[in-house]
Amino acid sequence: MKVKNLLAVALVAAAISSCSNYKPARTVLNNKIDTVSYAIGMARSNGFLPYLQNQMGVDSAYMADFWRGFFEGAAKSSDMALNAYMAGLQIGMSEGEQTVNSISMELFGESSDLSLNRDNYLNGFVDGTNLNDKIMSREVASETAERLFDEIHAESMELEYGDNKAAGQIFLEEKAKEEGIIATGSGLLYKVIKKGKGKIPTIDQRVTVKYKGSLIDGTVFDESTTGIELSVGNVIEGWQEALQMMPVGSKWELYIPYELGYGERAAGADIKPYSALIFEVELVSIL
């Protein structure tokens, strides 16, 4: 046996001896965070068992060893039982820390103190892989994970960026009262700066435009004075609606509610979730 192989065995033995005996507590579904934690864990297990067997070489007879390793850490060996254990160790470290933290950040935002229920997430992952549908089926878990994720994420964004949303609503309400402002049924507001006499583009056409984008506080976040080419159907909804009403040669100022802009998402460094936006748009040509 080569020296490097001896060293590898020694490292594996050290890893085993230093492992903790962590196992999650029992599953509890006391609130939405508990439920979405379990549901996401189970939903993410779809296709995992075949992957474990076919890609990682874990024999189904050694699943108990895999789960033992899953909750403790990472490595690999040619021994079947140890291989299963080390695969669980590796995946357990990834799922229990990196994945939980990543999903929590996406769900609650970087600045939130909230997190997934780690125990429920891991229990859901285990039950889904073992085809244990005592609490919920994987089909129900997938639906529940998606539904509650969207609901909780919206609540989190509302809590963190509610002031920005309110400021945009007030701005648009006041702007709608000004002379020369035209409102559409969607909530889009616009003012005609220059009337064009050319053709009006359709949703499937490409156009050349000059524009300047700013926040309601006047911060300019994007601008093109030379003109850019774009597809009418590939821009935010507020632009899509306006461009399909503008004759070539027109120059309008658009006041776009967040629902017709980037919604609950941030865009770049300046545009926060729920941002109302202002665009000065000149339609130069239809391509």
Side-chain angles (χ1 to χ4, degrees), residues 66-122:
F66 169 80
W67 290 123
R68 179 166 58 91
F70 176 85
F71 289 115
E72 294 183 358
K76 193 172 183 179
S77 168
S78 59
D79 177 86
M80 293 300 293
L82 195 56
N83 182 44
Y85 173 77
M86 291 304 181
L89 206 60
Q90 178 182 351
I91 294 171
M93 288 182 67
S94 175
E95 290 295 316
E97 295 297 331
Q98 297 174 10
T99 301
V100 167
N101 291 340
S102 176
I103 295 175
S104 295
M105 187 176 298
E106 184 178 356
L107 187 58
F108 302 110
E110 293 186 23
S111 61
S112 177
D113 294 329
L114 296 174
S115 176
L116 288 181
N117 181 317
R118 185 170 180 269
D119 289 331
N120 274 16
Y121 172 85
L122 295 176

Side-chain angles (χ1 to χ4, degrees), residues 166-279:
Q169 291 174 333
I170 293 172
F171 171 82
L172 293 169
E173 289 171 1
E174 294 301 314
K175 181 61 64 175
K177 300 175 184 177
E178 295 181 9
E179 185 176 354
I181 299 297
I182 301 170
T184 71
S186 69
L188 174 69
L189 304 177
Y190 68 92
K191 177 173 63 178
V192 177
I193 300 173
K194 182 176 70 174
K195 294 182 179 180
K197 297 182 179 179
K199 294 183 178 180
I200 298 174
T202 59
I203 191 71
D204 58 346
Q205 290 183 305
R206 291 183 60 79
V207 296
T208 303
V209 298
K210 298 178 181 179
Y211 70 93
K212 180 174 72 174
S214 58
L215 306 178
I216 61 175
D217 66 2
T219 300
V220 176
F221 58 81
D222 197 9
E223 185 173 15
S224 175
T225 57
T226 58
I228 64 167
E229 297 180 5
L230 53 83
S231 174
V232 176
N234 288 336
V235 291
I236 59 175
E237 291 183 37
W239 270 57
Q240 289 185 29
E241 182 178 355
L243 287 171
Q244 292 179 87
M245 298 188 292
M246 295 177 68
V248 171
S250 297
K251 186 175 184 179
W252 291 7
E253 188 160 67
L254 312 179
Y255 310 97
I256 300 178
Y258 79 89
E259 297 95 334
L260 303 180
Y262 295 99
E264 299 169 2
R265 297 178 289 112
D270 296 315
I271 302 176
K272 297 179 181 179
Y274 297 110
S275 287
L277 303 173
I278 304 169
F279 283 97

Side-chain angles (χ1 to χ4, degrees), residues 19-39:
C19 287
S20 69
N21 292 317
Y22 170 78
K23 289 186 179 180
R26 67 182 182 86
T27 302
V28 292
L29 305 180
N30 292 332
N31 52 51
K32 286 192 290 188
I33 294 178
D34 287 347
T35 303
V36 77
S37 299
Y38 182 87

Side-chain angles (χ1 to χ4, degrees), residues 94-170:
S94 175
E95 290 295 316
E97 295 297 331
Q98 297 174 10
T99 301
V100 167
N101 291 340
S102 176
I103 295 175
S104 295
M105 187 176 298
E106 184 178 356
L107 187 58
F108 302 110
E110 293 186 23
S111 61
S112 177
D113 294 329
L114 296 174
S115 176
L116 288 181
N117 181 317
R118 185 170 180 269
D119 289 331
N120 274 16
Y121 172 85
L122 295 176
N123 285 338
F125 194 96
V126 173
D127 284 350
T129 302
N130 289 337
L131 304 181
N132 178 5
D133 60 359
K134 184 176 181 180
I135 292 179
M136 63 178 73
S137 68
R138 286 193 294 179
E139 290 75 15
V140 170
S142 295
E143 183 279 325
T144 301
E146 183 175 355
R147 174 174 52 82
L148 287 184
F149 186 98
D150 290 344
E151 183 179 324
I152 294 173
H153 181 263
E155 291 172 354
S156 299
M157 292 298 99
E158 182 81 25
L159 183 63
E160 186 170 359
Y161 296 103
D163 291 345
N164 192 48
K165 179 180 179 180
Q169 291 174 333
I170 293 172

